[in-house]
Amino acid sequence: MTLTRSIAHFTAGLAGAALLSASLSAQARELSVSTVLSDAFPWGQAAEKWAELVEERSGGELTLRVYPNSQLVSGDQTREFSAMRSGLIDAAVGSTINWSPQVPELNLFSLPFFIPDEAAVDAVTGGEAGELVFEAIESRGVIPLAWGENGFRQVSNSRGPISQPDDLDGLKIRVVGSPLFQDTFSALGADPTQMSWTDAQPALTTGAVDGQENPLSVFDVARIDQVGQEHLTLWNYMNDPLIFAVNQQVWQTLSEEQQTLLRETAVEAGEWEIAMTREEEGERLAAIQERGVTVTELSDEQYQAFVDATQSVYEKWAPRIGEEVVEAAQAAIDAR
């Protein structure tokens, strides 16, 4: 072999190695994932589980980096969907409540006293109504992949037990930034006060607000009883499913294999998180009671009184959500 040919082979080898390296680099992809809560909560654990499954099964070619506590939207959880739609965030495990300002159909799950139990949640998310909701999300530039669960939201306060609508009269209740929440608590005679969760905890401590509403997991992990919330009512007034989703443009840049991987792992992580959240409910409730919190459980008649008191809210919001979606959900609930 001549010196010229040797040099040519060597050069070709270097070029081939460079191309291989570039190819491998191009294949390796990291996506940002936003969540509102850290992995101290089931919500954050859902995102971490998704990231873990993706890394394991992609061999490191695709990774998810989780950013908890709404870091990617400067703490404003209601901006998460818009940020994902615009491409500032690649993916998210988000709340139907927080995304509802941009996707009105998601208010379905916030209709007061509409979805009564876990079987009803599963019937809605797993049926036609769930498909319509996912179609609504996708029409706004985001690809929904799977369901998770933040759980039923319960109400607590520092004044006394709540077992009938009159017990809420005049109570200042911290609520998330949703007009539907404002309408619901106003209909019950309360004084709904919108604020972020960061602002809510000191407001509860000082008595600037009397109460709040959140799932048991948040009440337990955040030790809300330590900020004066001595009375807790289990009323299941609304459910907050979580949704695993990806920006549409990011989704289109992924290979078919990567898309399948992301969807399958999201479904698996969601099923894992839903089961865990539900299994831990009893243990969390017992721990809350052991810390001295008075827990009120409603009878069927007491529950119906709250349904009746918020009927006007249902009538106002059902058309905004979409009659087709609401009717499909009602049919699923009735047939469960």
Side-chain angles (χ1 to χ4, degrees):
M1 181 181 294
T2 66
L3 178 59
T4 302
R5 290 180 62 191
S6 296
I7 293 173
H9 278 289
F10 178 70
T11 303
L14 287 177
L19 285 172
L20 178 60
S21 176
S23 175
L24 291 173
S25 297
Q27 291 175 4
R29 185 82 177 273
E30 179 180 279
L31 305 182
S32 61
V33 180
S34 175
T35 65
V36 170
L37 296 179
S38 72
D39 61 5
F41 301 84
W43 187 341
Q45 291 165 19
E48 293 291 350
K49 182 69 170 180
W50 189 20
E52 175 188 315
L53 291 172
V54 168
E55 184 169 9
E56 284 178 0
R57 295 178 192 175
S58 73
E61 290 182 3
L62 183 63
T63 59
L64 305 181
R65 183 176 180 184
V66 179
Y67 293 84
N69 303 315
S70 303
Q71 292 178 53
L72 299 179
V73 286
S74 302
D76 185 354
Q77 59 209 56
T78 60
R79 289 175 48 213
E80 185 177 66
F81 187 86
S82 295
M84 179 168 47
R85 181 170 55 185
S86 68
L88 294 175
I89 295 172
D90 295 327
V93 179
S95 156
T96 57
I97 298 170
N98 293 334
W99 294 1
S100 62
Q102 291 79 39
V103 187
E105 291 84 351
L106 291 174
N107 284 300
L108 172 72
F109 301 98
S110 297
L111 278 175
F113 306 99
F114 178 62
I115 301 178
D117 51 37
E118 291 170 350
V121 174
D122 293 342
V124 171
T125 57
E128 181 186 357
E131 292 175 359
L132 291 172
V133 167
F134 269 23
E135 288 173 8
I137 294 171
E138 186 164 352
S139 72
R140 291 167 174 86
V142 170
I143 306 298
L145 303 178
W147 296 97
E149 185 163 284
N150 198 25
F152 280 101
R153 297 176 78 91
Q154 319 298 358
V155 66
S156 72
N157 80 104
S158 59
R159 297 287 191 87
I162 295 173
S163 60
Q164 57 186 356
D166 288 349
D167 294 331
L168 280 155
D169 190 36
L171 288 183
K172 290 184 179 180
I173 304 293
R174 176 266 171 179
V175 296
V176 298
S178 165
L180 177 48
F181 280 66
Q182 297 276 344
D183 288 349
T184 296
F185 281 90
S186 294
L188 293 171
D191 179 8
T193 304
Q194 177 185 329
M195 60 179 63
S196 70
W197 184 240
T198 301
D199 294 332
Q201 290 175 298
L204 291 167
T205 301
T206 63
V209 293
D210 301 308
Q212 62 82 52
E213 49 77 52
N214 256 309
L216 283 183
S217 60
V218 175
F219 191 101
D220 182 31
V221 176
R223 294 295 193 268
I224 297 178
D225 48 288
Q226 295 181 358
V227 291
Q229 299 297 285
E230 300 174 354
H231 303 278
L232 175 68
T233 294
L234 306 181
W235 64 347
N236 283 16
Y237 89 109
M238 63 148 293
N239 191 275
D240 183 24
L242 301 177
I243 297 173
F244 295 70
V246 179
N247 167 275
Q248 189 174 60
Q249 292 179 333
V250 169
W251 181 257
Q252 290 170 349
T253 66
L254 299 172
S255 68
E256 185 176 341
E257 291 77 11
Q258 289 173 326
Q259 291 177 353
T260 299
L261 172 67
L262 272 183
R263 191 183 299 277
E264 289 180 348
T265 52
V267 169
E268 185 173 335
E271 291 174 346
W272 171 85
E273 188 267 342
I274 290 170
M276 175 185 66
T277 300
R278 294 178 180 180
E279 288 170 4
E280 291 178 345
E281 286 278 280
E283 184 179 332
R284 291 193 187 282
L285 182 58
I288 290 167
Q289 290 176 303
E290 286 174 7
R291 297 199 295 269
V293 176
T294 299
V295 175
T296 299
E297 297 190 52
L298 302 181
S299 66
D300 291 342
E301 287 131 355
Q302 289 171 326
Y303 181 87
Q304 187 60 44
F306 285 100
V307 174
D308 295 340
T310 54
Q311 181 62 28
S312 62
V313 181
Y314 174 92
E315 292 170 357
K316 174 181 178 179
W317 279 88
R320 298 185 182 186
I321 294 165
E323 295 290 356
E324 182 183 9
V325 178
V326 175
E327 289 173 5
Q330 186 64 67
I333 293 169
D334 293 342
R336 75 188 188 283

